[in-house]
Amino acid sequence: MHDSVTVRMAAPPERVWDLITDIRNTGRWSPETIEARWMDGADAPAVGVRFRGKVKRNGRGPVYWTVCEIIACEPAREFAFAVVMRGQKLNTWRYEFASTSGGVDVTESFTLTPTPWLRLYWALLGWARNRTNVNGMRETLNRVKAAAEAEQ
């Protein structure tokens, strides 16, 4: 109930960090999350800050909103948020940054919370959802890479 993708970007880690952590950009990067908005008056990432994401499941639908809470926020090192439903964290999305001589390796990952119903879901449909998530993470990171490298 976990997977990850890493993409090397020829851009400063701080530039890539800024692109990823401004959640208003999410619709530019993600093939499924088509929009995101800060909540509770927030306008920047920090641990405990919440935002809403508008998801178009599998890129086709259904369309729905989720609430997310930032759980890690270390500039140019780590950014993570949990998708929260009825007060329970269901899925954690994480971006980890590793500086390289020519830029940064960015790893995006997801980890489902091991609740009984998510375990059942993963046992039945996990193979398909995992493939969708891996492809989506690769597409997301490649879109960020293109933007980060174009700004140089």
Side-chain angles (χ1 to χ4, degrees):
M1 298 193 335
H2 168 85
D3 215 328
S4 64
V5 172
T6 301
V7 171
R8 178 161 286 178
M9 302 184 193
E14 298 78 15
R15 175 178 297 134
V16 178
W17 167 266
D18 288 343
L19 292 173
I20 289 172
T21 62
D22 183 348
I23 60 92
R24 297 170 299 176
N25 286 324
T26 303
R28 293 176 57 194
W29 316 138
S30 173
E32 282 195 337
T33 305
I34 56 177
E35 180 182 352
R37 298 178 185 166
W38 297 112
M39 293 176 63
D40 309 318
D43 62 359
V47 172
V49 166
R50 297 183 323 144
F51 63 91
R52 291 170 37 102
K54 186 176 185 180
V55 177
K56 189 173 190 180
R57 187 70 165 191
N58 298 316
R60 295 183 300 276
V63 176
Y64 55 91
W65 286 92
T66 62
V67 173
C68 302
E69 181 181 331
I70 297 173
I71 59 171
C73 191
E74 297 177 53
R77 292 185 46 107
E78 181 182 25
F79 177 68
F81 59 89
V83 178
V84 180
M85 181 183 289
R86 295 186 188 108
Q88 184 173 17
K89 295 175 179 165
L90 300 180
N91 189 359
T92 297
W93 292 91
R94 185 174 311 277
Y95 296 86
E96 296 171 291
F97 300 76
S99 295
T100 66
S101 61
V104 62
D105 286 343
V106 181
T107 299
E108 180 180 2
S109 65
F110 75 92
T111 304
L112 293 177
T113 302
T115 65
W117 70 273
L118 281 175
R119 284 184 187 275
L120 177 62
Y121 164 75
W122 200 252
L124 297 174
L125 298 171
W127 60 273
R129 187 66 219 170
N130 191 65
R131 184 177 60 223
T132 299
N133 283 354
V134 167
N135 290 338
M137 289 186 295
R138 185 171 294 110
E139 185 173 345
T140 295
L141 291 176
N142 282 326
R143 288 175 178 180
V144 171
K145 172 185 170 85
E149 292 178 354
E151 291 179 11
Q152 296 197 54

